[in-house]
Amino acid sequence: MWITMDVEEAQDMNFNIKWKKTPDIDYKEPIEWFIKHSKNKTATAFVLGSFAKKHPEIVKELSKHVEIASHGYFHKLVYTQNFKDWEYELLKSKEILEELTQKEVIGYRSPSWSMPFEKRYYEALAKGGFKYSSSYFPMKNYLYGNEINKKKPFIVSTKYGDIQERPIPKDIIPFSGGFYMRVLPLFLLKHFFKKHKDAVMYIHPYELIDKNLLRYFLKYAHINLDYFLAFFHLGSTRKKIKEIVNG
Ligand SMILES: [Zn+2]
């Protein structure tokens, strides 16, 4: 299993959340929890450039324990962005992370799996010095995803070099992170993770706040459908991860 975290702030998410005010979350604690529970495992943190700018000490500490990769600079949906703007932000995030951690950044995950599956994006990644991407989500929903179900990592060859794409796994449905991991019961998750041994797990710092998030975020956001998509999990994430990682 490859444990990954998309390191971003709650207000960066692309769900249509109507914020009342910016959440004042202490990100240090959930990220320390992630470090502790990914010990001796293959783990990567895809860090948003803007997060690294705001919380440099947290990212520096994180880089001592897990691989640091890029999650872009702002959490914009790539398919809504001008290609050149996306490329500029990609390289900017790489530069910031490398300067901060003094380590080479070779991995990229697009915000909300929103990078179109097109050659020019892989070309730009290879040209920019990246070696792999984890931007491929195997089911289309209203926000992101691709229809083709690729089960294993595969290579996209470009004139600037090869990029390995490491897709998110799918069983009957995707299961290995975010909304899917929150809503699926633990017994089913355990079954899926056992069956898909190389599964990529993905989590977010705000999903690891040890509270009932449905209630916790009430002071920050108005209730609508996306509120439930974003925060429904009744504080189950830590327990689920512990059981899956150790089981
Ligand atoms: Zn993200």
Side-chain angles (χ1 to χ4, degrees), residues 31-47:
I31 289 177
E32 278 173 356
W33 192 93
F34 171 70
I35 291 171
K36 193 175 153 208
H37 289 84
S38 58
K39 226 182 187 129
N40 306 321
K41 309 272 189 308
T42 310
T44 299
F46 292 92
V47 181

Side-chain angles (χ1 to χ4, degrees), residues 6 8 71 75 111-112 204:
D6 293 353
E8 63 201 48
H71 196 33
H75 209 269
S112 296
H204 302 88

Side-chain angles (χ1 to χ4, degrees), residues 88-186:
Y88 173 77
E89 288 179 17
L90 170 78
L91 300 177
K92 191 171 152 188
S93 73
K94 189 176 194 285
E95 197 183 302
I96 286 167
L97 294 172
E98 288 182 343
E99 203 179 295
L100 196 61
T101 63
Q102 293 297 306
K103 287 177 188 167
E104 198 189 357
V105 167
I106 58 163
Y108 171 70
R109 174 176 288 159
S110 58
S112 296
W113 325 103
S114 61
M115 187 175 88
F117 188 54
E118 290 170 20
K119 193 83 164 227
R120 59 181 177 152
Y121 289 95
Y122 289 91
E123 252 171 36
L125 285 170
K127 193 179 171 190
F130 289 88
K131 300 267 187 283
Y132 77 87
S133 159
S134 175
S135 302
Y136 194 91
F137 195 83
M139 191 173 87
K140 206 159 179 53
N141 62 30
Y142 81 104
L143 205 55
Y144 53 78
N146 295 283
E147 283 298 350
I148 319 153
N149 186 9
K150 298 262 192 191
K151 287 193 169 64
K152 300 259 176 225
F154 59 96
I155 298 288
V156 180
S157 294
T158 81
K159 59 184 170 194
Y160 299 105
D162 289 351
I163 294 289
Q164 187 191 44
E165 180 60 72
R166 303 176 181 176
I168 294 304
K170 180 183 167 190
D171 199 279
I172 313 158
I173 54 164
F175 59 90
S176 62
F179 170 75
Y180 301 91
M181 202 162 85
R182 281 184 276 123
V183 294
L184 291 172
L186 184 58

